[in-house]
């Protein structure tokens, strides 16, 4: 799964590009984060019950806002059954993710950086399909609004893939103007590494909050490009959609203009599901780490 270091590296690559300097490498970011003083480690703490000798584990709340909302509602968290290793990729084509830019404010989100950070949240994964998402964050309500999101279903070496898509999503998402240096203090970056690609048995053979979906189908005698029809696992939960609403929205994104009650009548609907738990980091946390690195 994605880690804090992956997010820090994306911020480092973007800020270095805008500041006309050479960024640290992913390896350097990982090494420095392991040494960075973060206070208590982000791991389970065992407390003894007064009435029993058995320990009770207290876990930090999920850092990703979507995961927190899902866990609070009793759902399984995205990627909960994932081994953390890269799954089979899709067609290998790049894809813009339409995390709806009209997304409203989400005051229930927990501000990124409020939880204790650990240096042991590391993963041996070295390559994966991936997506990088940039959001603007309100300083008062902490609501998030999409600022750019681009990724690929083709397996990428992480150092090269994160660097490339951090810049693509920030500067080349055709739905938005390029991110500027002055916007950096208001940004948050989210990285999702995609795993466990599976062809669904039907259009509804996937689980909200667990799977992202990618669709392709025939309509009006032409094949719509599957790479243009993908939602990451957290999109439906963030928007409050049910599975049918998610699928219809994704079909609209792919270019379908039919009546919503006719969605099941399109030809040769193929749905691929995948998993991927996102990790997020805000500018303030990146800046604090970068200042510490600079002093060394």
């Amino acid at each position: 799964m994605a880690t804090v270091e992956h997010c820090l590296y994306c911020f480092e690559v973007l800020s270095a590009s805008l500041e006309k300097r050479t960024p640290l490498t992913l390896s350097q970011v990982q090494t420095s984060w392991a040494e960075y003083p973060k206070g208590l480690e982000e791991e389970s703490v065992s407390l003894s019950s007064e009435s029993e000798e058995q320990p009770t584990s207290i876990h930090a709340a999920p850092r990703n806002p979507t995961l927190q909302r899902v866990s609070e509602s009793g759902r399984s968290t995205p990627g909960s059954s994932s081994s953390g290793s890269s799954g089979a990729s899709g067609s290998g084509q790049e894809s813009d993710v339409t995390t709806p830019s009209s997304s409203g404010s989400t005051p229930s989100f927990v501000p990124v950086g409020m939880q204790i950070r650990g240096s042991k949240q590391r993963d041996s994964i070295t390559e994966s399909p991936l997506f990088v998402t940039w959001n603007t964050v309100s300083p008062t309500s902490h609501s998030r609004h999409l600022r750019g999101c681009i990724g690929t279903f083709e397996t990428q070496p992480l150092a090269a893939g994160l660097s490339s898509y951090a810049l693509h999503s920030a500067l080349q998402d055709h739905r938005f103007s390029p991110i500027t240096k002055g916007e950096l203090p208001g940004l948050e970056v989210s990285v999702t590494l995609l795993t466990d690609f599976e062809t669904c048995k039907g259009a509804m053979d996937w689980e909200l909050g667990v799977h992202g979906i990618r669709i392709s189908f025939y309509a009006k005698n032409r094949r719509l490009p599957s790479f243009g029809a993908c939602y990451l696992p957290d999109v439906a939960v963030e928007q409050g959609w049910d599975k049918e609403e998610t699928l219809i929205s994704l079909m609209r994104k792919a270019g379908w203009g039919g009546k919503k009650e006719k969605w099941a009548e399109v030809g040769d609907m193929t749905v691929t599901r995948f998993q991927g738990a996102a990790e997020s980091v805000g500018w303030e946390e990146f800046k604090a780490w970068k200042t510490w690195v600079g002093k060394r």
Side-chain angles (χ1 to χ4, degrees):
M1 63 182 296
T3 66
V4 173
E5 295 99 310
H6 296 153
C7 298
L8 292 173
Y9 181 57
C10 289
F11 251 128
E12 170 67 5
V13 169
L14 177 59
S15 62
S17 175
L18 296 176
E19 294 166 1
K20 309 300 182 183
R21 61 176 175 81
T22 301
L24 298 176
T25 65
L26 177 58
S27 178
Q28 289 172 324
V29 170
Q30 291 171 326
T31 299
S32 65
W33 178 254
E35 300 172 354
Y36 178 57
K38 296 173 284 294
L40 297 176
E41 294 295 326
E42 189 178 41
E43 56 185 80
S44 299
V45 178
S46 297
L47 300 177
S48 298
S49 170
E50 293 182 1
S51 59
E52 299 181 13
E53 294 297 325
Q54 297 179 349
T56 301
S57 294
I58 306 299
H59 295 273
R63 293 192 56 261
N64 181 275
T66 300
L67 301 191
Q68 183 185 39
R69 287 182 10 181
V70 172
S71 65
E72 288 175 349
S73 65
R75 290 185 180 275
S76 299
T77 58
S80 59
S81 63
S82 172
S83 64
S85 60
S86 173
S89 67
S91 65
Q93 295 174 308
E94 295 182 11
S95 171
D96 287 6
V97 166
T98 305
T99 304
S101 56
S102 59
S103 171
S105 60
T106 51
S108 63
F109 280 176
V110 174
V112 171
M114 293 299 291
Q115 287 81 17
I116 296 169
R117 300 317 193 95
S119 61
K120 294 184 179 180
Q121 187 185 3
R122 303 293 297 274
D123 203 322
S124 60
I125 187 171
T126 58
E127 57 181 27
S128 175
L130 58 90
F131 279 82
V132 177
T133 303
W134 295 97
N135 291 308
T136 56
V137 184
S138 168
T140 54
S141 67
H142 303 291
S143 59
R144 289 157 173 77
H145 298 276
L146 183 67
R147 191 61 179 83
C149 181
I150 297 180
T152 179
F153 289 95
E154 181 179 0
T155 298
Q156 302 281 308
L158 288 187
L162 290 172
S163 175
S164 176
Y165 286 95
L167 295 178
H168 286 347
S169 57
L171 307 175
Q172 299 176 20
D173 189 326
H174 62 84
R175 297 166 295 174
F176 306 96
S177 60
I179 289 175
T180 64
K181 182 179 178 180
E183 292 181 82
L184 290 175
L187 291 180
E188 173 190 88
V189 66
S190 179
V191 173
T192 308
L193 305 185
L194 310 184
T195 68
D196 302 292
F197 288 85
E198 302 172 294
T199 300
C200 296
K201 297 177 181 178
M204 299 297 178
D205 183 27
W206 53 281
E207 186 175 347
L208 283 169
V210 174
H211 298 110
I213 57 173
R214 185 184 189 190
I215 66 172
S216 62
F217 57 91
Y218 285 108
K220 298 181 180 179
N221 299 318
R222 68 186 183 91
R223 185 74 167 180
L224 297 182
S226 61
F227 63 84
C230 161
Y231 278 154
L232 294 177
D234 57 355
V235 172
V237 177
E238 287 183 349
Q239 300 300 314
W241 293 332
D242 61 26
K243 292 168 73 171
E244 184 175 39
E245 290 171 330
T246 302
L247 192 61
I248 293 172
S249 175
L250 190 51
M251 292 173 69
R252 297 290 192 209
K253 180 193 172 203
W256 182 68
K259 296 181 179 180
K260 64 179 181 179
E261 62 270 17
K262 300 287 187 180
W263 72 266
E265 298 181 8
V266 300
D268 193 24
M269 170 70 76
T270 300
V271 181
T272 300
R273 68 189 187 192
F274 56 89
Q275 298 185 44
E279 181 63 86
S280 301
V281 164
W283 170 259
E284 290 301 323
E285 184 168 17
F286 164 76
K287 190 64 176 177
W289 164 79
K290 195 66 167 62
T291 299
W292 177 83
V293 172
K295 290 180 178 179
R296 296 183 70 204

